[in-house]
Amino acid sequence: MPRREVAGAWFLMFGYATLLAGMIWDGQWHGDVGPDNFWTAPHLLLYAGTGIIGLSCLSVVLLSTWARGPATETPSVTVFRTFHAPWPFLVGGLGAAANLLYAGADLWWHDLYGFDIAAGTTPSHFGLGLSIQVEIFAMVMAFAVLRRTRSDRWGLALATALAAVGSTSAFGMLSELVFDWLPGVAPRVPGLGAAGALMLSLIVGLTRRWHWPAAAGLAFVIVQGGLALSVPAATRWYAGAIGQPMRDYTSGLPQVLVGVPVTFPLIALLSAAVVAWAVRRDMSPRWITPAIGALAGVNTALFYGAVGMEMNLPATLVTVAALGAGMGWLGWHCASLLRHFGLRTPEAVPA
């Protein structure tokens, strides 16, 4: 594996972690303080992460184009008959470009309509959510190519945890559009369950060992715990620094603990146990990923039912379990495709 692609994958993850911190901070800011414009610190942190992703992908593409010796065996595409772009970095670059394009639309929207624009209700926010999801898929693809060393597989586990937290934005918005007509079903819950199901089934399909779903659960605890501790404190500090009062009803509760089920690591551990059971019995994990997806969906419905979200619990459970099973099946087949990215190894590829 060329060193440029290894370093590029880690820089892509660093950029997405920066973007995710800005996105979670922006959500906390909307809830605890309110007044908002394009140039707030959370927005700038989010777009700084996008810039890191875009520059990382561009650097890998240029280095792949100008490299001497045998070309990388990572599936690539030739762009404009000149640039040799490995697929993960082409996808990441397109996602970053779309993100910055929608950032301009977001600036225009804020200039026209002002403060307190709720996420998901404007075309610019919807476009931002989808482009961020493309960047998430690029990060997972980049680490799916690696997974040769223990550190690379830990990188895949961390990428899965970051993706599980970040995917809730786009999946939740899509879910509200698709499932709003179902009677009794909380429209956002199926999408959040689908996100968790897809990420768990992807890491099961990519590694096919019990260790790495468990590692993804541990990484999720670290990611969510770190954001829960840092983001509310950063919100209070920033509000004081720019002279904005906190809202009267602000509880200080970290929104990341409610926006993503905190019980996800338990399902990751249970998934690891199921994978271990299947491997001991020489059973292919492909037959258990729909069950893992259904478990992730049921966990999501039970969590939001417990925190008081209005829903018909039986109807929501059935819907989310069925959708989760489908996403588990899809995740396995996506993982099978991504595994082919790492099958061929060139004899020598210079950095």
Side-chain angles (χ1 to χ4, degrees), residues 4 63-71 348-351:
R4 61 180 176 269
L63 289 172
S64 299
T65 302
W66 297 331
R68 298 178 180 178
V349 180

Side-chain angles (χ1 to χ4, degrees), residues 219-318:
F220 182 92
V221 172
I222 295 171
V223 170
Q224 192 178 49
L227 290 171
L229 291 173
S230 61
V231 169
T235 301
R236 290 190 297 271
W237 169 81
Y238 183 54
I242 64 174
Q244 288 286 352
M246 304 290 285
R247 284 178 166 165
D248 293 338
Y249 56 80
T250 297
S251 65
L253 176 70
Q255 291 191 10
V256 70
L257 297 180
V258 179
V260 185
V262 296
T263 49
F264 179 84
L266 299 178
I267 302 303
L269 290 175
L270 184 57
S271 300
V274 172
V275 172
W277 175 84
V279 169
R280 283 199 300 269
R281 285 159 177 76
D282 294 325
M283 182 188 300
S284 171
R286 70 179 300 174
W287 304 114
I288 62 171
T289 49
I292 289 173
L295 282 173
V298 167
N299 165 69
T300 305
L302 291 176
F303 173 79
Y304 286 108
V307 299
M309 184 177 287
E310 185 178 349
M311 68 176 76
N312 181 312
L313 186 57
T316 303
L317 280 172
V318 171

Side-chain angles (χ1 to χ4, degrees), residues 37-286:
N37 61 52
F38 182 83
W39 302 107
T40 60
H43 282 182
L44 295 179
L45 187 64
L46 190 158
Y47 294 124
T50 298
I52 293 170
I53 291 172
L55 290 173
S56 300
C57 293
L58 177 62
S59 299
V60 172
V61 169
L62 293 178
L63 289 172
S64 299
T65 302
W66 297 331
R68 298 178 180 178
T72 175
E73 290 293 326
T74 301
S76 304
V77 64
T78 300
V79 181
F80 301 130
R81 299 184 180 181
T82 302
F83 301 102
H84 301 292
W87 269 109
F89 299 98
L90 175 63
V91 172
L94 292 175
N99 196 337
L100 294 176
L101 177 65
Y102 282 111
D106 193 41
L107 173 61
W108 169 78
W109 191 277
H110 279 290
D111 285 343
L112 278 180
Y113 300 109
F115 299 146
D116 279 331
I117 305 298
T121 60
T122 68
S124 60
H125 280 110
F126 191 75
L128 284 169
L130 292 181
S131 59
I132 289 171
Q133 192 62 46
V134 173
E135 293 170 301
I136 290 172
F137 287 143
M139 174 181 63
V140 175
M141 288 171 67
F143 280 94
V145 173
L146 301 183
R147 71 175 198 282
R148 287 171 171 79
T149 66
R150 184 173 294 273
S151 63
D152 292 337
R153 290 190 289 273
W154 272 107
L156 176 61
L158 182 56
T160 302
L162 290 167
V165 176
S167 293
T168 55
S169 176
F171 275 75
M173 285 188 288
L174 280 172
S175 184
E176 288 181 341
L177 290 175
V178 174
F179 294 102
D180 187 51
W181 61 273
L182 284 177
V185 175
R188 192 173 180 85
V189 172
L192 302 184
L198 179 61
M199 296 310 155
L200 266 181
S201 58
L202 272 174
I203 195 167
V204 169
L206 284 168
T207 62
R208 305 186 183 187
R209 297 181 65 188
W210 69 267
H211 308 75
W212 301 110
L218 175 61
F220 182 92
V221 172
I222 295 171
V223 170
Q224 192 178 49
L227 290 171
L229 291 173
S230 61
V231 169
T235 301
R236 290 190 297 271
W237 169 81
Y238 183 54
I242 64 174
Q244 288 286 352
M246 304 290 285
R247 284 178 166 165
D248 293 338
Y249 56 80
T250 297
S251 65
L253 176 70
Q255 291 191 10
V256 70
L257 297 180
V258 179
V260 185
V262 296
T263 49
F264 179 84
L266 299 178
I267 302 303
L269 290 175
L270 184 57
S271 300
V274 172
V275 172
W277 175 84
V279 169
R280 283 199 300 269
R281 285 159 177 76
D282 294 325
M283 182 188 300
S284 171
R286 70 179 300 174

